[in-house]
Amino acid sequence: MKKLLIMLLCAFFLLPVKAQNGNLLALQHPDSLQWFKDAKFGVFFHWGLYSLLEGTYNGKTMPDKSFPQGNSWYAEWIQTRFNIPAEEYQKLAEQFNPVNFDAEKWVQEVKNAGACYLVITSKHHEGFALWNSKVSDFDIVNTPYKKDLIGQLVKACKKYGMKYGFYYSHWQDWEYPGGALPNWMPTRSEEEFEKYWQEKSLPQVKELIVKYDPDLLWFDTWNEKCHITPERRDELIRLVRKYSSKCLINGRICYSDPGDNIDFLEMNDNSYPKEILEKPWQTPATMQHSWGYHAKDYNWKSATTMLSYLVSNVSKGGNYLLNIGPKADGTFPVMATRRLREMGAWLLANGEGVYGTRPVSVRAPKGGYLTQKEDKDGTYVYAFLTQPVESLTLDLPDAQRAEMLETGMPLVLDCKDGKTTVRIPARQLDGCSIQVVKIGLAR
Ligand code: FHN
């Protein structure tokens, strides 16, 4: 009897998580989304075999118009943009040996940047898995490095309380027969794609969830003509829901028709909406043009520019997922590290107006952004000023007090005709960063 009871209990706990409560397409429970809505800032990593090439192949550097499709900065696309034969490209696995990878250092750097989650390319379009995959031999354990990178990162994220997600290229796969190819290459038939879908894509997604229990999965499609039909989209959503009761799913699972069952919207690359959006959302963004490490892409944005994008998104209810392309040896380019640290320093002083805030339906000042937050003592509006101004006038009838968020210096305010004007002393306007004014409203 006791044995039977133990067997029954084991069977119950081994059941896929949602098998007991039915709807496998439904959104994750709102509690699972709370962290995402509050987090605001995440760091994205594009890392794979392409990182070894650093945007250059056989002396040609991306973008290069001498290749018919070569006019792109995206270094993670070098295989197909520069027509590298698949067999030759896949041999890069014999060189991939990130001996300087230190998962804890990565997570600490992300944390110090003020980011609350990270997302890493577990498999990008090249088809190479950064974990020990039982589904495919084209993976990290079949390199000189041999060790599971995703596993190490997950362990470090758990240690430091960092939420983590995986980018998984479920549509494009340039290694497995039947995986989708870029639109200038041969189209896969439905039958060929279905084989890839059933044999690699779905099994690897299941493997990632069961092995690593991610907080989110980042799928990638970006045009209408795509093998990911609403039926395949739903098949994938069901799979994720079946094995995880917390994993969030992004809208790019099916670009042409994300449907109602995705947890958050994913904007186009480096796209910033102008309006408040109701559904949770984020912008994936680059520090340079490229996502994967590109040694000759010198187009680095400044930390202040990137902070402006962050607060712009936050003021509209969105998140900012900022990318780094680590080098093949496992280190970050120093340009990325400096920017992360500068952003982290600013967020250390001004994060109160960012994390856990919500949009305000009051018109923002020119070149500025607004957020709001409630706590036990009242409601606060935060005004982010990206350019120097002498005063700030908002349609707020009930402001009680105002101060510079970073220093706590009290500011003079004047309420008249349903508007509040805050005067900002010139010495606060250093002009090189974003100033934040905190305004307390009447209870
Ligand atoms: O083709 C990819 C690209 O390499 C990169 O991963 C971005 C990230 O949003 N997604 C696709 C293009 O939108």
Side-chain angles (χ1 to χ4, degrees), residues 101 104 133 144 214-215 245 279:
F101 171 70
E104 293 204 6
S133 174
D215 296 295
S245 58
K279 192 153 179 108

Side-chain angles (χ1 to χ4, degrees), residues 44 46 74 76-77 121 124-125 167 218 220-222 252 266-269 284 291:
F44 209 177
H46 274 65
Y74 285 10
E76 67 284 3
W77 275 73
T121 49
H124 202 263
H125 310 335
Y167 172 109
W218 207 109
D220 205 359
T221 56
W222 58 88
R252 286 228 211 150
E266 195 77 56
M267 296 301 118
N268 287 338
D269 299 355
W291 299 88

